[in-house]
Amino acid sequence: MRNKRKRITAAALTGAMVLGLLAGCTDMGDSGPASGETVTIRLLTRMSGTSPQVGIWNDILDEFKEKHPEVKIIDDSQSDESAYNNVLSTDIASGEMANIFRIQGVANLSEYIDNGMILDLQPYLEEDTEWGGGFMESSLAYYQVPGYEGTYAAPSESGVIGFFYNTDLFDKAGISGFPQTWTEFLDAIEKLKAIDVTPIAIGTQSTYMGGHLHNLISYRWLGTSIAKQLGSREKKWTDDDVIETLQYVKDLIDAGAFDPNCAGLTDTMAMTSFQTGEAAMVITGPWNISSFTDPAETAVSDSIAFAKFPYFEEKPEFKDEDMQTISPLMVSGKLEGKELDLTLELLKMLTGPEATKRFAEESAMLIPRTDVELDENALDPLLLRVIEEGNESTGIAQDIFDYDPLTSMQDRSRNSIASIFTGSTPEDAAAEIQAEIDSSL
């Protein structure tokens, strides 16, 4: 235990986690709704469930409701990605967006901006520098759309995605430290199999898990620029070097890196196998740290460490090109008057300095702000390790489909990648994805 208490800022924590918005909202003053007038604020986010992050989120909502009894909050948030996407798709089709919502990808924001679905937050960010001036500008820049003036989201979460792994199982298998290179990684997989342990927990019934694996491989093999090159059509999925990234997924399957039945497993099943010590590694981000360090949820909580994805010896220039998440909170562009004012006030409470401190110190969730002092001794050591690794990033990107203007690419790319786990060839998967693009041209 350290005697000297260190204090660090959220900027130091997020560091390079967000490479490349200012905020404010109108003071409500006496402009609240007239007596008896009810304002409804609907939320559509991924903050649902029983995690510590959701607990803090709900605390903030309760605080807001106590402050504004005239407001009715309808929280339609969904923890399951498919369920969330279904609700979001319905909203987009109807043109009736929730007051506060999230669209993860950036490629189609121009369409939604043109349709008036997303509010430009820039004026409010500039107006209230106490709130807006605290965000890392690089994280806000992600939601500044080429060809449009303004900022179209407030960042609500950031973090590097990599391997959480079981140090006891690594020691038992005779693996000294997490493998740094692809060759060392394949060797570690063989050693883990030799002690009857599933090397990597993955459930491709939840197709995002295979998608994240492919993202990490792609960014190590071709750099994070490949996401934009595919989205801009500068590159094709059927290009040889892109097919190679899919081949590396197949190589891991052939090496026995996963449960043979992983195609029938959900993400919850896969995560459970890691938390019970049946699997040695799992690919995820810092949002799962609070469950990994809770003995009630994770039987091997004392044995979990974090490392970034190994790099390819042939491509050392991409060894720190990382997948990182930057999650937004957006505001409907159709709000006016008191409803808009109250919605912006709630947005500030959910992404401001006080919320940032609570989320980081109590639930290992990072909001990229530079104006918050965080007590290092109050932070989980596993989170600090994630931060250290993220600070080494030389380039970052989110999911590859986030940069693609074709909305169907999320399902198409993930489903085609998942098909490799059931016998499709990398060439077939690439052709299927490219056919989706070609048919839209």
Side-chain angles (χ1 to χ4, degrees):
M1 178 68 69
R2 289 162 287 189
N3 294 323
K4 183 178 179 181
R5 296 174 67 82
K6 293 185 180 179
R7 306 198 68 82
I8 46 184
T9 68
L13 288 179
T14 51
M17 285 186 172
V18 246
L19 304 174
L21 306 167
L22 297 173
C25 76
T26 305
D27 184 357
M28 289 301 298
D30 296 325
S31 64
S35 177
E37 181 183 348
T38 299
V39 173
T40 298
I41 295 178
R42 186 165 75 94
L43 307 175
L44 180 59
T45 72
R46 295 289 301 281
M47 282 290 190
S48 178
T50 59
S51 70
Q53 295 98 318
V54 175
I56 295 170
W57 175 272
N58 289 332
D59 285 347
I60 296 171
L61 296 186
D62 289 341
E63 180 184 347
F64 182 82
K65 286 186 285 188
E66 184 176 351
K67 183 178 180 182
H68 294 288
E70 75 279 12
V71 175
K72 178 182 179 182
I73 291 182
I74 299 175
D75 193 352
D76 285 340
S77 297
Q78 308 284 328
S79 59
D80 178 76
E81 183 178 57
S82 296
Y84 178 86
N85 288 338
N86 288 338
V87 179
L88 179 63
S89 295
T90 300
D91 283 358
I92 291 173
S94 68
E96 297 297 326
M97 308 301 291
N99 294 58
I100 295 175
F101 61 97
R102 59 177 277 180
I103 296 176
Q104 189 61 45
V106 296
N108 287 302
L109 291 189
S110 58
E111 175 186 343
Y112 304 135
I113 294 168
D114 289 341
N115 292 335
M117 293 181 179
I118 304 177
L119 181 70
D120 175 13
L121 292 177
Q122 190 65 37
Y124 309 101
L125 293 163
E126 292 176 350
E127 180 182 55
D128 186 347
T129 56
E130 186 174 339
W131 173 59
F135 288 109
M136 292 183 69
E137 290 193 20
S138 55
S139 68
L140 298 173
Y142 188 76
Y143 295 102
Q144 293 168 349
V145 181
Y148 295 80
E149 292 185 2
T151 301
Y152 292 89
S156 62
E157 185 178 3
S158 65
V160 67
I161 294 175
F163 275 118
F164 289 83
Y165 66 101
N166 187 319
T167 56
D168 284 350
L169 292 179
F170 270 58
D171 289 343
K172 184 178 178 181
I175 304 168
S176 177
F178 195 85
Q180 297 297 301
T181 68
W182 184 257
T183 300
E184 293 171 352
F185 186 53
L186 293 176
D187 181 62
I189 287 170
E190 290 302 317
K191 290 179 178 178
L192 289 166
K193 286 165 53 184
I195 62 169
D196 295 323
V197 167
T198 299
I200 304 172
I202 196 169
T204 58
Q205 185 176 323
S206 301
T207 58
Y208 80 86
M209 298 193 85
H212 284 182
L213 170 65
H214 177 255
N215 291 332
L216 292 168
I217 289 173
S218 297
Y219 300 155
R220 286 292 188 266
W221 187 245
L222 299 174
T224 51
S225 62
I226 187 59
K228 291 183 179 179
Q229 290 171 345
L230 288 168
S232 67
R233 311 302 181 226
E234 178 183 345
K235 296 280 292 181
K236 291 185 175 183
W237 282 84
T238 48
D239 289 349
D240 288 345
D241 53 355
V242 179
I243 291 176
E244 285 175 332
T245 66
L246 296 166
Q247 180 62 52
Y248 282 119
V249 174
K250 180 68 161 53
D251 290 347
L252 288 177
I253 296 170
D254 293 344
F258 315 108
D259 186 315
N261 301 311
C262 65
L265 301 180
T266 65
D267 55 351
T268 300
M269 295 174 181
M271 198 65 69
T272 298
S273 71
F274 174 70
Q275 291 175 286
T276 56
E278 297 173 17
M281 295 175 271
V282 68
I283 294 171
T284 189
W287 51 86
N288 274 315
I289 289 177
S290 58
S291 63
F292 288 161
T293 56
D294 182 355
E297 294 190 53
T298 301
V300 294
S301 59
D302 291 338
S303 306
I304 297 180
F306 176 82
K308 292 203 294 187
F309 200 83
Y311 70 93
F312 294 94
E313 293 93 324
E314 307 97 313
K315 302 290 185 76
E317 66 270 29
F318 299 136
K319 70 182 297 289
D320 289 310
E321 297 279 296
D322 295 322
M323 180 182 180
Q324 297 204 23
T325 181
I326 308 174
S327 297
L329 288 180
M330 297 163 174
V331 174
S332 170
K334 297 184 178 181
L335 304 182
E336 297 178 339
K338 299 178 181 67
E339 184 180 3
L340 174 59
D341 291 340
L342 287 161
T343 298
L344 288 169
E345 182 178 350
L346 178 56
L347 178 68
K348 283 204 319 182
M349 291 177 66
L350 292 168
T351 59
E354 185 176 340
T356 297
K357 186 174 180 65
R358 282 202 65 190
F359 278 123
E361 294 181 353
E362 298 176 30
S363 71
M365 173 178 144
L366 299 172
I367 296 176
R369 298 187 64 94
T370 63
D371 59 345
V372 181
E373 281 195 340
L374 299 173
D375 183 355
E376 185 177 349
N377 290 336
L379 299 174
D380 190 282
L382 194 54
L383 175 62
L384 290 174
R385 179 60 179 167
V386 171
I387 291 162
E388 290 170 1
E389 292 286 358
N391 285 342
E392 299 299 320
S393 298
T394 56
I396 67 168
Q398 300 197 85
D399 285 287
I400 289 175
F401 63 77
D402 277 350
Y403 304 84
D404 199 293
L406 191 60
T407 56
S408 62
M409 281 300 287
Q410 174 173 335
D411 288 338
R412 178 67 279 146
S413 61
R414 285 180 171 179
N415 287 334
S416 295
I417 291 165
S419 74
I420 300 174
F421 288 80
T422 56
S424 290
T425 67
E427 290 79 9
D428 287 344
E432 190 174 45
I433 298 170
Q434 189 60 45
E436 182 82 8
I437 295 170
D438 294 342
S439 66
S440 70
L441 299 178

